[in-house]
Amino acid sequence: MQQSTPPVHPLRRLAQYAHAYRGRVLLTTLYSILNKLFDLAPPVLIGMAVDVVVSQEDSLLARFGIVDVTDQLIGVGLITAILWGFESLFDYLKAVGWRNLAQDIQHTLRLATYDHTQRLDMAYFEEQSTGGLMSVLNDDVNQLERFLDVGANEIIQLITTIVVVLGMFLVAAPSVTWLTVVPIPFIVYGSLKFQQRLAPRYAAVREQVGILNSFLSNNLSGIATVKSYTAEEYEVGRAAAESDQYRRRNAAAIRLSSAFVPIIRIFIMGGFIAIMVFGGILVINGRLNVGVYSVLVFMTQRLLWPLTRLGDTLDLYQRAMASTGRIFRLLDTQPRVIEGHSTLPRPVRGEVVFQNVSFRYQWRDYEGYSDNRPHVLNDLSLHIPAGSTAAIVGPTGSGKTTVIKLLLRFYDVGSGHIRLDGRDIRDLSFADLRGAIGLVSQDVFLFHGSVRDNIAYGTFDASLDAIVDAARTAEAHDFIMALPDGYDTIVGERGQKLSGGQRQRISIARAVLKNPPVLILDEATSSVDNETEAAIQRSMERIARGRTMIVIAHRLSTVRRADRIFVLDNGELREAGAHDELAAAQDGIYAALWRVQTGER
């Protein structure tokens, strides 16, 4: 039996993204260490001051030639000013360094995740919610930034504190060092146990964040439906249920993480009391200098007390690792539609051939993907000559739109072949295949921006003259000029400031500007009025010259001038021919549809 490869810990994978910044990481780590070294100086300075006051001419500074007590105290003050200045400098440098590193690593990881997400196939997006993906791309990446901004520095400074303070104890008072060391193993062990128990709780929190974001995103997208059915109270109730689940999952993590500090404080108290009592006994017995004793008491506090911060640091760490795990699970998702590497011969003519194509959508359940769903297309063969206009019609659910999705390779055929200019589209690169095809969908998507930007989308270097020419061809120029700012008018999110017909004609202008050898109109007139339909039909006649046109339509009046009409029913080709030929057939599917739409008996 083949052994499965154990999953790589998210922290190790995160280190791969930080590798490009290793020089800055090392430098910023040095800033953190130096900041902590100078931060540990005050207890030493206090010990020196106590030594001067108690020992006077016999103090440590007196051995360096500074005999006068006043001069010794002034010297301690000058040293304090210098060390505090360095501590402040390195505090600034490490803060700037870690924050900028957090921003840069976050930026790199977000772009890598977004780029990978865009390259996944359409099936993935149909199975995932937009809100869930947004929670990964935004919330989870931001959670990681919080840990890099604060947690990494605290871990480095804690290690520095332990090494430096224990070193001082071993040099100054080796006989009492063990009193300080004893609590540390208990604290570390307790931290690790808390970490193990916190991990699944924070994973559950991050999953619920995705569910909540998905719910809110979906409802805001459908706000018109919510309002039209006066369902605001109902939706608030649903939001309350999801938010309450998020609150309860967070509460479970909070109860555990909040218990960490009180428990650790007990061990810290034991170590602090031990060094204070036993160290004091050594001073009374003359075995330990009172100044050194002062330093040791303060250093014990500086060593053990930061360990209480370990709880907060572990809290940040576990949140970050839960988020990082979700990010890398997304990055590990591989597309099922694999890009080819071949190119089309130039110039592209636009001949499209479907040869014995069968296809069915896969159903995803808890055990993975299954092929239990019926075929949408069955042994479909079509031939659309280059430069011709072909129409694909049929009842709802006959497979018309699936034909277009397969031609664009949003999905791969189950069996058979699709060829463009004689090349199997599975062998072509996406840029070559989709660059040769323009799509005007029934569900027009306009980006938040100007009319000009939306027409030029995909042809980003187009001149204004070329944009205007494309708009004239699509019969969109006149209404665009009537807008408040003409081509610079902002269309709003998804083009909501424009009517359906206006959005449709801008979409056609976008496809015209791309000037593809193959142009697909998928139900381009399904949601427009008769006047707009007439304008779109006039546009189609101009656009069709010199290119292959594929028109998907319910309104048969839109396709009556097509060179060839293919009639689909239940995923199979039932009829093919010109309009007059098909409409004349007494028992044909097309003829029946034509009679229904024209009112003929």
Side-chain angles (χ1 to χ4, degrees):
M1 182 177 176
Q2 187 177 4
Q3 299 264 337
S4 60
T5 304
V8 180
H9 193 277
L11 187 61
R12 291 185 60 186
R13 296 190 60 180
L14 181 62
Q16 298 172 4
Y17 284 87
H19 186 70
Y21 305 98
R22 60 188 179 278
R24 289 171 56 191
V25 170
L26 292 174
L27 183 61
T28 307
T29 300
L30 177 62
Y31 292 153
S32 291
I33 293 172
L34 291 173
N35 169 246
K36 179 49 64 176
L37 289 176
F38 287 111
D39 180 59
L40 291 172
V44 178
L45 296 170
I46 292 172
M48 291 175 62
V50 171
D51 184 46
V52 169
V53 171
V54 173
S55 303
Q56 299 188 14
E57 288 83 1
D58 295 326
S59 68
L60 179 64
L61 283 178
R63 300 176 191 177
F64 290 92
I66 307 175
V67 179
D68 186 76
V69 175
T70 302
D71 291 341
Q72 290 183 46
L73 291 175
I74 292 173
V76 172
L78 290 174
I79 295 172
T80 300
I82 294 171
L83 294 182
W84 276 46
F86 278 113
E87 190 274 335
S88 299
L89 171 64
F90 288 113
D91 183 64
Y92 169 78
L93 292 175
K94 62 91 175 170
V96 171
W98 284 117
R99 289 176 183 176
N100 284 333
L101 271 171
Q103 291 293 327
D104 291 343
I105 294 173
Q106 174 198 42
H107 172 74
T108 300
L109 191 57
R110 176 181 284 119
L111 287 186
T113 309
Y114 179 62
D115 178 66
H116 177 79
T117 302
Q118 286 192 116
R119 299 179 190 281
L120 295 173
D121 46 70
M122 289 299 296
Y124 178 81
F125 293 97
E126 292 174 358
E127 294 158 1
Q128 303 295 322
S129 66
T130 302
L133 289 173
M134 283 299 299
S135 72
V136 176
L137 294 170
N138 192 42
D139 293 347
D140 286 329
V141 175
N142 288 342
Q143 194 70 51
L144 175 62
E145 178 209 354
R146 295 186 192 100
F147 171 70
L148 293 173
D149 189 6
V150 178
N153 171 69
E154 289 192 350
I155 290 173
I156 291 169
Q157 293 203 331
L158 179 61
I159 294 172
T160 302
T161 300
I162 293 172
V163 171
V164 172
V165 173
L166 289 183
M168 291 178 62
F169 268 75
L170 287 172
V171 171
S175 60
V176 295
T177 300
W178 66 274
L179 296 173
T180 305
V181 174
V182 165
I184 294 179
F186 294 99
I187 295 172
V188 173
Y189 176 77
S191 301
L192 294 176
K193 296 303 291 184
F194 268 87
Q195 174 186 330
Q196 292 174 4
R197 298 187 64 184
L198 274 173
R201 286 171 168 79
Y202 279 127
V205 168
R206 299 315 305 165
E207 291 298 327
Q208 185 61 26
V209 166
I211 294 171
L212 183 58
N213 281 359
S214 174
F215 171 82
L216 295 175
S217 174
N218 186 63
N219 276 33
L220 290 176
S221 298
I223 190 65
T225 303
V226 173
K227 286 181 173 296
S228 65
Y229 284 90
T230 59
E232 290 90 347
E233 292 298 325
Y234 171 73
E235 292 302 338
V236 168
R238 294 177 64 201
E242 295 296 347
S243 182
D244 186 62
Q245 178 69 2
Y246 172 65
R247 181 184 61 81
R248 283 188 278 111
R249 290 188 176 184
N250 249 319
I254 290 170
R255 281 194 300 271
L256 185 61
S257 63
S258 299
F260 177 83
V261 172
I263 295 173
I264 296 304
R265 284 169 66 113
I266 295 173
F267 293 107
I268 292 174
M269 177 191 66
F272 187 76
I273 291 174
I275 195 69
M276 185 169 58
V277 172
F278 289 101
I281 293 173
L282 291 177
V283 173
I284 293 171
N285 294 333
R287 296 170 56 190
L288 187 64
N289 180 277
V290 67
V292 175
Y293 171 68
S294 302
V295 173
L296 294 181
V297 171
F298 280 110
M299 279 297 183
T300 301
Q301 189 268 344
R302 296 299 296 271
L303 170 65
L304 297 179
W305 192 252
L307 290 172
T308 61
R309 292 281 304 160
L310 197 57
D312 294 333
T313 304
L314 283 176
D315 191 73
L316 282 174
Y317 172 78
Q318 284 303 340
R319 288 177 182 269
M321 289 305 100
S323 294
T324 305
R326 280 163 47 88
I327 292 169
F328 285 122
R329 282 196 296 275
L330 176 55
L331 285 170
D332 288 339
T333 302
Q334 296 301 315
R336 298 191 295 276
V337 177
I338 307 301
E339 183 175 9
H341 301 287
S342 298
T343 58
L344 287 166
R346 297 295 190 270
V348 179
R349 297 180 298 108
E351 180 191 30
V352 176
V353 175
F354 278 64
Q355 182 181 353
N356 305 117
V357 170
S358 294
F359 173 78
R360 59 183 165 192
Y361 293 99
Q362 291 183 317
W363 183 269
R364 184 173 185 175
D365 54 25
Y366 292 106
E367 296 180 357
Y369 291 95
S370 61
D371 295 323
N372 296 329
R373 303 181 76 176
H375 279 92
V376 179
L377 299 178
N378 289 294
D379 199 30
L380 178 66
S381 294
L382 306 174
H383 178 223
I384 304 173
S388 67
T389 297
I392 302 176
V393 302
T396 300
S398 59
K400 303 185 298 296
T401 300
T402 299
V403 169
I404 303 309
K405 291 180 178 179
L406 292 177
L407 179 58
L408 286 163
R409 278 204 80 200
F410 291 163
Y411 299 87
D412 269 339
V413 299
S415 61
H417 302 276
I418 302 175
R419 292 186 172 88
L420 178 60
D421 284 357
R423 300 290 179 91
D424 192 314
I425 64 172
R426 286 173 292 193
D427 298 331
L428 300 175
S429 68
F430 290 148
D432 226 46
L433 170 65
R434 295 168 185 168
I437 301 173
L439 174 65
V440 179
S441 174
Q442 60 179 324
D443 183 19
V444 177
F445 188 93
L446 299 185
F447 295 89
H448 182 72
S450 67
V451 172
R452 175 178 179 172
D453 291 339
N454 274 281
I455 294 177
Y457 189 82
T459 316
F460 302 106
D461 58 350
S463 66
L464 180 59
D465 289 339
I467 292 171
V468 172
D469 288 342
R472 290 184 187 277
T473 302
E475 298 206 7
H477 178 72
D478 291 342
F479 87 76
I480 292 173
M481 294 306 297
L483 295 173
D485 297 310
Y487 281 85
D488 292 321
T489 300
I490 302 300
V491 302
E493 188 175 1
R494 299 182 67 92
Q496 61 185 353
K497 293 184 179 180
L498 304 178
S499 69
Q502 290 172 333
R503 292 196 297 268
Q504 194 66 268
R505 280 183 276 180
I506 288 177
S507 178
I508 293 173
R510 178 194 293 167
V512 170
L513 184 62
K514 183 180 179 181
N515 193 27
V518 179
L519 180 60
I520 301 170
L521 300 179
D522 183 9
E523 302 285 7
T525 62
S526 62
S527 58
V528 299
D529 55 34
N530 292 334
E531 182 181 353
T532 303
E533 181 186 6
I536 291 175
Q537 287 181 343
R538 291 193 298 269
S539 302
M540 288 169 55
E541 293 176 5
R542 290 191 294 271
I543 297 167
R545 296 170 191 154
R547 78 179 82 243
T548 303
M549 288 271 290
I550 302 175
V551 182
I552 309 292
H554 278 298
R555 293 185 182 181
L556 302 186
S557 57
T558 307
V559 302
R560 62 184 302 176
R561 293 185 178 88
D563 297 315
R564 192 164 181 81
I565 300 171
F566 299 98
V567 183
L568 301 186
D569 187 29
N570 290 325
E572 297 180 354
L573 179 61
R574 297 298 178 87
E575 300 172 10
H579 167 77
D580 292 339
E581 174 189 351
L582 295 174
Q586 293 298 316
D587 299 324
I589 298 173
Y590 184 88
L593 292 172
W594 178 255
R595 287 193 294 270
V596 168
Q597 293 189 18
T598 58
E600 296 180 7
R601 296 196 176 188

